[in-house]
Amino acid sequence: IALFEELLRVFLLSRLWSLSNRGFWIACSIVLVALLMGLAHWSQGPYGVVTIAIKGVVIGAWFRRYRRLLPLVIAHVLYDGLQVGMLLLSYPR
């Protein structure tokens, strides 16, 4: 899942950035893609949508600066793994 989501994010950002090189457009496209990725997690509820959208802005800015996909995928895998680990630790037996 992490690879697919980050590939989709990078594809969308790259395509939007190819339309214009202006700073305002770049910032707007980062926010737009972050909102779309947040809405894709609607099943996690409003809290999930908002937190993932905020993380998406950070990820988009990071990708804009470094243009590297693999660290994003690794971070996503680690984040999801921690979430599952916390769920398993807190789940009543």
Side-chain angles (χ1 to χ4, degrees):
I1 298 294
L3 177 62
F4 172 74
E5 284 186 16
E6 298 312 325
L7 278 174
L8 178 61
R9 181 187 321 274
V10 166
F11 174 77
L12 290 172
L13 287 172
S14 298
R15 294 299 93 214
L16 289 171
W17 292 341
S18 70
L19 298 176
S20 176
N21 216 12
R22 302 182 83 190
F24 180 74
W25 174 249
I26 290 168
C28 285
S29 61
I30 289 172
V31 171
L32 176 65
V33 171
L35 289 173
L36 288 173
M37 296 303 283
L39 288 172
H41 291 83
W42 184 254
S43 63
Q44 296 177 14
Y47 177 79
V49 171
V50 170
T51 58
I52 289 175
I54 291 169
K55 292 171 195 162
V57 170
V58 173
I59 289 168
W62 191 93
F63 179 72
R64 173 70 178 154
R65 180 170 178 167
Y66 297 107
R67 301 292 176 128
R68 298 287 181 252
L69 174 64
L70 186 59
L72 297 178
V73 174
I74 292 170
H76 195 143
V77 167
L78 291 173
Y79 178 78
D80 286 351
L82 286 173
Q83 294 281 352
V84 170
M86 293 302 292
L87 175 68
L88 292 175
L89 287 174
S90 64
Y91 192 75
R93 292 178 185 212

